[in-house]
Amino acid sequence: MKVITTSIPDVKILEPIRFSDERGFFMETWRQSGFDELVAPRQFVQDNHARSCRGTLRGLHYQTQNTQGKLVRVVVGEVFDVAVDLRRRSPTFGQWVGVWLSAENGRQLWIPEGFAHGFYVTSDWAESLYRCTDYYNPTAEHCLRWDDATLAIAWPISSSPLLSSKDQQGCCLAEAPLFD
Ligand SMILES: Cc1cn([C@H]2C[C@H](O)[C@@H](COP(=O)(O)OP(=O)(O)O[C@H]3O[C@H](C)C(=O)[C@H](O)[C@H]3O)O2)c(=O)[nH]c1=O
């Protein structure tokens, strides 16, 4: 497993080693010891799987209770995956990282607690699998607008994204509940 730093030090890209041969490939996608040592000492308690059509934008979501660290990867298609730092005392508060995750590149993105997460689908279909460090708590879930002017996220968007009704009503950064 190769770990690549990003412009936000706590957000990391993981590149598993892929063993290819005439049958296809094999790769270890996660190992507790390696993650603890190279990324962060965390336990995951919930795995999610999302299938999304081209043009879908899910996010930007986060929970202020049961705060979730997320380890995201794509097993079908391609997405532009974004993490936004909402930790008010962080030197990178309000900054974002965007990473291409795809079945082809096999990359994973580690998004710690204190961040909002979202992704935009640029393939016909994309299937995202992600591990969470705490359980879903809809009563503590918040949605930050994907197009917040202050964040100015450079989404690779060619037309209006497909949003859930919840995501159409996201709040701006100035109104968003933050993390200490
Ligand atoms: C997130 C979640 C949702 N649900 C149920 C609730 C709804 O009935 C249905 C769809 O939920 P939602 O529209 O919130 O799903 P997404 O828009 O993909 O939300 C996710 O999108 C961004 C990218 C994230 O990082 C979060 O993991 C998550 O918020 O699944 C559950 O039962 N458990 C869960 O953990």
Side-chain angles (χ1 to χ4, degrees):
M1 177 80 71
K2 179 179 169 188
V3 177
I4 302 166
T5 55
T6 69
S7 56
I8 298 178
D10 292 332
V11 177
K12 300 188 187 300
I13 299 167
L14 287 66
E15 277 190 351
I17 299 169
R18 187 173 287 190
F19 299 93
S20 297
D21 61 28
E22 62 276 11
R23 300 168 298 171
F25 72 78
F26 173 88
M27 62 181 173
E28 289 185 6
T29 54
W30 181 78
R31 183 183 278 236
Q32 182 76 60
S33 58
F35 195 83
D36 286 353
E37 179 192 342
L38 299 174
V39 182
R42 289 292 192 285
Q43 301 289 325
F44 294 98
V45 298
Q46 178 179 318
D47 282 356
N48 296 335
H49 182 160
R51 176 171 162 86
S52 314
C53 65
R54 183 182 294 273
T56 297
L57 194 154
R58 294 180 187 256
L60 297 153
H61 302 158
Y62 61 104
Q63 294 183 170
T64 47
Q65 293 171 33
N66 303 90
T67 54
Q68 294 177 312
K70 296 168 188 169
L71 180 61
V72 189
R73 68 190 181 104
V74 169
V75 293
V76 171
E78 178 184 65
V79 309
F80 185 72
D81 205 274
V82 171
V84 179
D85 192 349
L86 296 182
R87 303 167 300 180
R88 59 164 53 89
R89 294 187 175 87
S90 166
T92 53
F93 170 72
Q95 294 183 29
W96 58 274
V97 167
V99 176
W100 288 100
L101 301 179
S102 68
E104 185 61 34
N105 70 23
R107 283 185 156 192
Q108 304 177 18
L109 188 61
W110 164 243
I111 303 163
E113 301 83 353
F115 284 74
H117 173 238
F119 60 82
Y120 176 71
V121 178
T122 54
S123 49
D124 288 340
W125 287 95
E127 300 207 18
S128 312
L129 306 182
Y130 48 107
R131 322 201 70 191
C132 302
T133 59
D134 209 330
Y135 297 106
Y136 177 53
N137 178 353
T139 67
E141 187 181 40
H142 302 277
C143 178
L144 182 61
R145 283 191 64 87
W146 64 278
D147 59 351
D148 179 86
T150 307
L151 295 175
I153 297 169
W155 298 99
I157 285 183
S158 49
S159 58
S160 298
L162 177 59
L163 301 169
S164 65
S165 54
K166 174 178 70 178
D167 293 349
Q168 291 172 26
Q169 300 159 42
C171 70
C172 61
L173 180 63
E175 297 161 357
L178 302 176
F179 297 88
D180 288 333

